[in-house]
Amino acid sequence: MEKRTSMKESQKLNQTFFRKHLNKVYPIGLHKRSYSSSSLSSLSENTDDSSLTDSLTLLDDNVSLGLHLISLRQRGEPALVNAVQKQPTEAGELKRCNWITKNCDKAYIEFHDECWGTPAYDDKKLFELLAMSGLLIDFNWTEILKRKQILREVFAEFDPNSVAKIEEKEIMEIASNKALSLTDCRVRCIVDNAKCIMKIVREYGSFSSYIWGYVNHKPVINRYKYPRNVPLRTPKAEAISKDLIKRGFRFLGPIIVYSFMQAAGLTIDHVVDCYRHSECVSLAERPWRHI
């Protein structure tokens, strides 16, 4: 009996630890919904006829929309499909990934709508996203995005060549900035990673050429239906992380690297019914033009 109680407490602790760190590392809050037969029974018992009718009507509408989209695709009209998918909901809002809710911060929603999943090829932009992804060890995406403008100011608009030249005195000055709340270790990590990027630039011509080479210079297009399907890490992220660390990069494990890949559009992880999925796929399917 004591052994069974101990096991339950251990499982509960592991779930709490995983959820806490998952919400920080991922730009989403993954919430699995699991319905047992008892919960479904209780739902039907506590639901009046009018709410059931409303639910069935909504289901009919969704089925009709799905059949209409299939019909459009069969007739070869992708532009119309995208237009239908981008229609606002009844509340006047676009259909977004499930983890974007009305309670999300504006900066976080803008990040989802304008950046996350959009292929980035500029070295400054890639360095910025890599640095911000690295901060997920200490903060969540919303906290990081609120600091974005100050981060750009103190890190020279994330020009890796300039950041690589930051000396110890300036590192301590940045660490003392209360608006950033970064330790000197974290600041030094960003500077050291900039130095590593410059070595890659000398070898490959640009950091963009190096990092995009891992996906054959074309984003990985995923078609996940539910948030629970989106992985925390992939074999590709593990391979990139291993090579980055070998080259001297710091604090870039496979989970952080995969968060960077998602943000920089190396992999498209918007769920399929999010309006941004079709937009990012359209960008991904263009001929790759490296700058």
Side-chain angles (χ1 to χ4, degrees), residues 23-34:
N23 289 336
K24 285 172 58 178
V25 170
Y26 234 13
I28 61 178
L30 295 181
H31 300 294
K32 264 193 177 179
R33 291 185 178 183
S34 54

Side-chain angles (χ1 to χ4, degrees), residues 143-173:
E143 293 168 335
I144 294 168
L145 293 167
K146 286 183 175 181
R147 293 170 168 83
K148 184 172 68 173
Q149 192 54 47
I150 305 175
L151 286 167
R152 285 176 174 174
E153 292 172 5
V154 301
F155 288 113
E157 300 297 321
F158 285 99
D159 175 14
N161 186 43
S162 300
V163 176
K165 297 175 181 177
I166 292 178
E167 298 180 352
E168 188 64 24
K169 181 181 178 181
E170 193 173 351
I171 288 176
M172 298 309 295
E173 289 176 357

Side-chain angles (χ1 to χ4, degrees), residues 98-130:
N98 306 51
W99 51 85
I100 300 296
T101 68
K102 62 181 180 180
N103 296 322
C104 288
D105 188 89
K106 181 181 178 181
Y108 185 48
I109 297 174
E110 288 179 355
F111 178 60
H112 169 274
D113 290 356
E114 300 171 10
C115 178
W116 201 72
T118 302
Y121 299 105
D122 178 69
D123 274 9
K124 289 183 181 180
K125 186 63 176 179
L126 289 168
F127 178 38
E128 176 182 82
L129 293 173
L130 186 69

Side-chain angles (χ1 to χ4, degrees), residues 127-142:
F127 178 38
E128 176 182 82
L129 293 173
L130 186 69
M132 290 198 301
S133 297
L135 295 178
L136 287 167
I137 296 173
D138 299 317
F139 308 102
N140 60 41
W141 271 117
T142 299

